[in-house]
Amino acid sequence: MTTQMFEIVKNPISIEEITNKVIRNEAGAVTTFTGTVREFTYGKRTLSLEYQAYEKMAVKKLEQIGEEIKEKWSDAKVAITHRIGKLEISEIAVVIAVSTPHRKDAYAANEYAIERIKQVVPIWKKEIWESGEAWIGDQLEKTPYPEGKPMEVDQ
Amino acid sequence: MTTQMFEIVKNPISIEEITNKVIRNEAGAVTTFTGTVREFTYGKRTLSLEYQAYEKMAVKKLEQIGEEIKEKWSDAKVAITHRIGKLEISEIAVVIAVSTPHRKDAYAANEYAIERIKQVVPIWKKEIWESGEAWIGDQLEKTPYPEGKPMEVDQ
Amino acid sequence: MIKVLLFAHLQEKVGQESISIERIETTVKDIRDYILSAYDIGNLENVMIAVNEEYALDDDMVKAGDVVALIPPVSGG
Amino acid sequence: MIKVLLFAHLQEKVGQESISIERIETTVKDIRDYILSAYDIGNLENVMIAVNEEYALDDDMVKAGDVVALIPPVSGG
């Protein structure tokens, strides 16, 4: 069995499990990013979230981010798991783990991964408030693709 | 029982446990740094490591780093655990977890913490190779205190 | 036949998870125009189109059997 | 009496975890000089001195009952 380094899952994510996928003898530094459901966004109280994904493409795009990182930081090893479905406040939506021999790269590559996820991975978030609900990214003030297409390389 | 946010321990560290100390409703971003024992440093093979700490002062200095982070990133919550004693290859020496409402701060504050640990926290590492052993930081080429004293504020 | 997958608010607006379009060969732009004229889907200004799980441009060709998807601005992470 | 804690290679060189110095009141510099003259400890050029768990400077005072520690360059993390 090979370990899946890039996954979309429907059940709770274990930070330890994703981080362990990248721990190895050659790498002294591991950064793990955990994205959790925040209660307040710009003063508005979120009750819960629902994530939807175009799963097949989302996995492909996560793999692509992994390849982009390999090109920029050749010593990096990356694992990303994103959860979909309904999530409660402070539950984990995404875990990104990156190991590198030296720590500067582990931070930089990890931050690159979350920025790219927010640009190109087809996953959508619906916020559910007391007063209603809405798919995020649907708002006019958000124009994440100024070029008409998600950027395929780092801006 | 209050949770200890800054600890020196002698047993294996759980990434999940330290990260869970900082997860909270107001914070959507959590970064975790895991420092593991690397097998090769500049081509030299390490068999194992031994960490020693001036424990009382080390905890105080970890707490100080926590306060410095609070001053720079007032919304950050920080937990740091460092292990001492004998560690094998790829075992975890240190875990730093930081949560913030927004992710940029979580990366920056976490990286600040590891840099500061390497400057001011009285913990020493002895590398054990096939051909011998040595306390690191003992080498002439390393002069971590150019001012004659560890920097008490960010450089 | 070309299958077009819908997600997020587009799925809710149209009330189905996908649309089938009878074409042998066409362009991304034609698919976009067809959907705008045939469905009450609002505007598709910020909506990308993927063909077989890759982002595509308006001039790119689409053939029967390809899987197309409308990708509104993503909000994962 | 002033207790001086030793760590890492300094502890191994002196062969003990601490040194006791008979002084009522003195300076950090005096403690440093005393240890250099009384023990075969090598040089203390890059070694910091902490008094009661805080880094101290050469001119800082040390009193009987204070806990002093020699802090060689740290290498945690």
Side-chain angles (χ1 to χ4, degrees):
Chain A
M1 288 291 292
T2 56
T3 309
Q4 279 303 120
M5 301 303 274
F6 303 95
E7 283 188 302
I8 303 293
V9 300
K10 296 186 177 72
N11 296 317
I13 306 175
S14 155
I15 297 170
E16 201 110 32
E17 190 190 319
I18 309 309
T19 305
N20 283 337
K21 287 182 184 178
V22 304
I23 289 184
R24 59 210 159 108
N25 292 358
E26 315 90 83
V30 185
T31 51
T32 309
F33 176 84
T34 305
T36 61
V37 177
R38 205 170 39 194
E39 189 171 11
F40 288 93
T41 303
Y42 302 116
K44 201 165 195 174
R45 182 184 203 152
T46 302
L47 297 180
S48 66
L49 282 190
E50 192 187 320
Y51 282 97
Q52 189 183 64
Y54 178 7
E55 289 189 49
K56 200 172 164 190
M57 181 170 170
V59 170
K60 262 176 112 161
K61 287 289 150 188
L62 290 178
E63 287 168 351
Q64 175 193 314
I65 292 170
E67 281 158 28
E68 289 172 9
I69 288 173
K70 275 282 189 198
E71 274 167 36
K72 288 167 166 285
W73 298 275
S74 58
D75 281 336
K77 189 171 182 187
V78 187
I80 306 175
T81 297
H82 201 301
R83 184 175 169 193
I84 56 172
K86 199 179 173 194
L87 274 76
E88 304 298 327
I89 299 300
S90 99
E91 280 199 294
I92 297 170
V94 62
V95 172
I96 303 166
V98 177
S99 69
T100 59
H102 300 285
R103 65 185 181 280
K104 283 253 167 248
D105 293 344
Y107 286 104
N110 197 303
E111 195 163 2
Y112 177 83
I114 182 69
E115 296 304 324
R116 290 296 281 152
I117 287 172
K118 288 174 179 282
Q119 286 168 357
V120 300
V121 180
I123 298 177
W124 301 272
K125 170 165 78 175
K126 182 198 248 178
E127 286 186 1
I128 295 136
W129 319 295
E130 274 160 357
S131 57
E133 56 178 51
W135 288 100
I136 306 303
D138 183 15
Q139 297 134 312
L140 283 177
E141 63 272 22
K142 275 191 125 188
T143 313
Y145 311 151
E147 307 295 329
K149 182 177 169 175
M151 287 164 287
E152 291 293 317
V153 292
D154 196 15
Q155 66 284 58
Chain B
M1 288 293 291
T2 56
T3 309
Q4 279 302 121
M5 302 303 274
F6 304 96
E7 283 188 302
I8 304 294
V9 300
K10 297 185 175 71
N11 296 317
I13 305 176
S14 155
I15 297 169
E16 201 110 33
E17 190 189 320
I18 310 307
T19 306
N20 283 340
K21 287 183 186 178
V22 304
I23 289 184
R24 60 210 158 108
N25 292 1
E26 315 89 82
V30 185
T31 52
T32 309
F33 176 84
T34 305
T36 61
V37 177
R38 202 170 41 196
E39 189 170 10
F40 289 93
T41 303
Y42 302 117
K44 199 166 196 175
R45 183 185 202 152
T46 302
L47 297 181
S48 65
L49 282 191
E50 192 187 319
Y51 282 97
Q52 190 183 64
Y54 177 7
E55 289 189 50
K56 199 172 162 190
M57 182 170 168
V59 169
K60 262 176 108 161
K61 287 289 149 188
L62 291 178
E63 287 168 349
Q64 176 192 313
I65 292 169
E67 280 158 30
E68 289 172 10
I69 287 173
K70 275 282 187 198
E71 274 167 37
K72 288 168 166 285
W73 297 276
S74 59
D75 281 336
K77 189 173 181 185
V78 187
I80 306 175
T81 296
H82 202 301
R83 184 176 169 192
I84 57 171
K86 200 178 171 192
L87 272 77
E88 305 298 328
I89 301 299
S90 100
E91 279 197 295
I92 297 170
V94 63
V95 172
I96 303 165
V98 177
S99 69
T100 59
H102 300 285
R103 65 187 181 279
K104 283 256 168 242
D105 292 344
Y107 285 104
N110 197 304
E111 194 163 4
Y112 177 83
I114 183 68
E115 297 303 324
R116 290 295 281 152
I117 286 172
K118 288 174 179 281
Q119 287 169 356
V120 301
V121 180
I123 298 177
W124 300 272
K125 170 165 79 174
K126 182 198 247 177
E127 285 187 2
I128 296 137
W129 317 298
E130 275 158 356
S131 57
E133 56 178 50
W135 287 100
I136 306 304
D138 183 13
Q139 297 134 314
L140 284 178
E141 63 271 23
K142 277 191 125 190
T143 313
Y145 310 149
E147 306 296 328
K149 182 176 170 176
M151 287 163 287
E152 292 292 318
V153 291
D154 196 15
Q155 65 284 55
Chain C
M1 203 206 66
I2 295 164
K3 192 178 186 185
V4 181
L5 305 176
L6 304 175
F7 297 96
H9 70 284
L10 300 178
Q11 189 177 95
E12 290 185 355
K13 226 162 189 171
V14 173
Q16 19 184 114
E17 293 186 4
S18 67
I19 290 170
S20 290
I21 304 182
E22 295 299 332
R23 295 276 199 287
I24 302 298
E25 191 171 65
T26 182
T27 62
V28 164
K29 184 173 188 319
D30 171 59
I31 287 178
R32 187 189 290 270
D33 291 343
Y34 170 76
I35 292 171
L36 276 171
S37 66
Y39 294 88
D40 178 25
I41 201 168
N43 83 62
L44 294 179
E45 255 171 48
N46 291 320
V47 173
M48 285 297 306
I49 290 189
V51 179
N52 300 328
E53 298 107 38
E54 284 299 339
Y55 290 106
L57 296 173
D58 271 2
D59 291 342
D60 289 340
M61 299 302 296
V62 184
K63 295 186 307 292
D66 285 344
V67 177
V68 174
L70 300 190
I71 314 282
V74 303
S75 49
Chain D
M1 203 204 68
I2 295 164
K3 192 177 186 185
V4 181
L5 304 175
L6 304 176
F7 298 97
H9 69 285
L10 300 178
Q11 188 177 95
E12 290 184 356
K13 226 161 189 174
V14 172
Q16 21 187 111
E17 292 187 6
S18 67
I19 290 169
S20 291
I21 304 181
E22 294 300 331
R23 296 275 199 288
I24 301 298
E25 191 171 67
T26 181
T27 63
V28 164
K29 187 176 185 316
D30 172 59
I31 288 177
R32 187 188 289 270
D33 291 344
Y34 169 78
I35 293 170
L36 278 170
S37 65
Y39 295 88
D40 177 26
I41 202 168
N43 84 62
L44 294 180
E45 254 170 50
N46 290 322
V47 174
M48 285 299 306
I49 291 191
V51 178
N52 300 328
E53 297 108 38
E54 282 301 337
Y55 289 106
L57 297 171
D58 272 1
D59 292 341
D60 288 341
M61 299 303 296
V62 184
K63 296 185 308 293
D66 284 345
V67 177
V68 174
L70 300 190
I71 314 282
V74 302
S75 51

